[in-house]
Amino acid sequence: MKNELTARQNEIFNYIEESIEENGFPPSYREIGKQFGISSTFGVKRHIDALIKKGFLQSESNSCRTLSLPQNQERMPARENNTVEIPLLGRVAAGEPVFTEENIEDTLTLDQSFVRSRSKCFALKVKGDSMINAGIIEGDFVIVAHQSEARNGEIIVALLGEETTLKRLVRNNNELLLMPENDRYEPIKLNNREDFAIIGVVVGLYRTY
């Protein structure tokens, strides 16, 4: 049984299928990107790779022109679902747009409830044990709403210089702190630090076993 497609994957698959049936060959990456407003061929390729992995397409090489539909295989249309794809970032660098293609390692397909109505979310894989008392362990994926402000007590993803860190933001009188959720680590004082920036607020947690 094939994995379900996301809404965007289903749209791209239908477009490719129609092109093959009408023209005898698939559209190019550029044509797919233009049709669906995807600015880079890398972005298109991620969707194509997902369709190949899920068994809806097959390819003889890395060229989009070699795409074909699997033979002797029943293709059922993906049913409507409430899933959403968000980028999994491998890094966040100071001075760079968060969603630049170079930062995106993969995508996570999640239930829409993880992001609710937020339009700009990304995922990061947790490294280290500084947030274990908040139930966040190494290897988890945190779902982050991309924003530059946060309320007192929220768990945030922040940049300190070139380092990305996951901590709780605490305002204590006139002091601003990044608080770990592990007694082995000390709070990080932020007053007068010019290399501090909020990248986003944690809105969900995804864990695999």
Side-chain angles (χ1 to χ4, degrees):
M1 183 176 179
K2 299 184 184 73
N3 295 322
E4 290 183 3
L5 301 182
T6 65
R8 176 48 62 91
Q9 289 168 0
N10 192 38
E11 290 172 348
I12 292 175
F13 171 73
N14 289 336
Y15 179 65
I16 293 173
E17 184 179 42
E18 290 173 4
S19 178
I20 292 175
E21 291 177 351
E22 292 179 5
N23 305 317
F25 55 86
S28 67
Y29 285 138
R30 180 169 294 181
E31 289 168 337
I32 295 172
K34 183 178 180 180
Q35 176 72 17
F36 295 99
I38 304 173
S39 60
S40 70
T41 55
F42 178 81
V44 173
K45 188 176 184 301
R46 286 194 289 111
H47 291 296
I48 299 301
D49 288 346
L51 288 168
I52 293 172
K53 183 177 180 180
K54 293 179 180 182
F56 282 76
L57 294 174
Q58 60 188 19
S59 178
E60 297 176 3
S61 71
N62 289 327
S63 171
C64 195
R65 291 300 192 190
T66 66
L67 291 175
S68 61
L69 303 174
Q71 300 298 315
N72 302 320
Q73 181 171 303
E74 182 182 358
R75 295 187 300 279
M76 298 189 302
R79 61 184 175 88
E80 292 295 324
N81 56 52
N82 294 317
T83 60
V84 62
E85 275 194 348
I86 64 172
L88 172 63
L89 304 188
R91 62 189 288 269
V92 178
E96 291 184 4
V98 169
F99 295 103
T100 185
E101 295 291 352
E102 289 76 10
N103 292 346
I104 300 174
E105 285 191 346
D106 205 342
T107 58
L108 288 183
T109 303
L110 305 171
D111 191 274
Q112 181 70 41
S113 62
F114 271 89
V115 299
R116 299 188 182 95
S117 61
R118 302 177 181 90
S119 59
K120 291 186 177 181
C121 285
F122 62 90
L124 282 177
K125 190 171 185 179
V126 176
K127 298 178 181 178
D129 60 356
S130 67
M131 297 299 288
I132 58 173
N133 291 341
I136 302 173
I137 62 176
E138 186 165 19
D140 285 348
F141 297 94
V142 287
I143 313 305
V144 184
H146 179 40
Q147 58 191 69
S148 59
E149 297 182 354
R151 292 176 294 184
N152 187 31
E154 287 185 316
I155 297 175
I156 67 170
V157 173
L159 270 178
L160 290 175
E162 295 296 326
E163 180 183 356
T164 306
T165 186
L166 178 71
K167 298 289 186 293
R168 192 180 298 278
L169 182 68
V170 174
R171 293 181 176 89
N172 186 11
N173 295 323
N174 294 324
E175 195 169 34
L176 189 62
L177 303 168
L178 287 179
M179 295 290 296
E181 293 284 350
N182 185 333
D183 294 339
R184 292 173 50 205
Y185 298 90
E186 295 293 326
I188 300 172
K189 296 182 179 181
L190 298 174
N191 292 57
N192 301 319
R193 287 197 65 155
E194 297 182 356
D195 61 347
F196 163 70
I198 296 173
I199 301 302
V201 174
V202 174
V203 296
L205 182 72
Y206 180 75
R207 181 177 297 164
T208 58
Y209 293 94

